[in-house]
């Protein structure tokens, strides 16, 4: 029985390309990380707003504490 040899170029072209679903999954992960980071920054900004501006927004300090206590992945 003889062993069949596959040229290196065939292996690279077959396994070197990323399949289409991987690209979509990668983009979704990047979108999700960006969303989490944006949410984190928004909560940091919210924590710095003074009470006068909070009243203008219709928020109480308790609302702000509750929102800022959430983890970055929680909406």
């Amino acid at each position: 029985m003889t062993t069949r040899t596959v040229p290196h170029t065939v292996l690279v072209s077959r396994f070197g390309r990323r399949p289409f679903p991987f690209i979509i999954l990668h983009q979704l992960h990047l979108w999700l990380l960006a969303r989490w980071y944006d949410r984190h920054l928004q909560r940091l900004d919210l924590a710095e707003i003074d009470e006068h501006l909070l009243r203008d927004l219709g928020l109480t300090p308790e609302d702000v504490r509750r929102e800022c206590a959430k983890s970055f992945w929680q909406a």
Side-chain angles (χ1 to χ4, degrees), residues 57-69:
L57 294 171
L59 298 173
T60 65
E62 181 58 33
D63 294 334
V64 173
R65 278 191 290 276
R66 191 177 321 113
E67 184 64 29
C68 291

Side-chain angles (χ1 to χ4, degrees):
M1 182 179 254
T2 60
T3 305
R4 197 170 124 187
T5 308
V6 178
H8 177 69
T9 56
V10 173
L11 292 175
V12 171
S13 63
R14 179 189 279 176
F15 300 112
R17 285 186 274 168
R18 298 194 187 269
F20 184 69
F22 174 80
I23 294 170
I24 293 173
L25 184 63
H26 181 67
Q27 289 174 347
L28 285 175
H29 282 147
L30 289 177
W31 175 84
L32 184 61
L33 289 174
R35 180 69 184 123
W36 284 347
Y37 185 65
D38 186 51
R39 188 177 293 149
H40 169 72
L41 293 178
Q42 288 178 14
R43 288 180 178 149
L44 288 177
D45 290 340
L46 181 62
E48 294 179 359
I49 296 177
D50 65 356
E51 289 188 34
H52 173 70
L53 292 176
L54 287 177
R55 279 195 306 270
D56 287 347
L57 294 171
L59 298 173
T60 65
E62 181 58 33
D63 294 334
V64 173
R65 278 191 290 276
R66 191 177 321 113
E67 184 64 29
C68 291
K70 293 180 182 179
S71 297
F72 62 90
W73 64 83
Q74 293 176 317

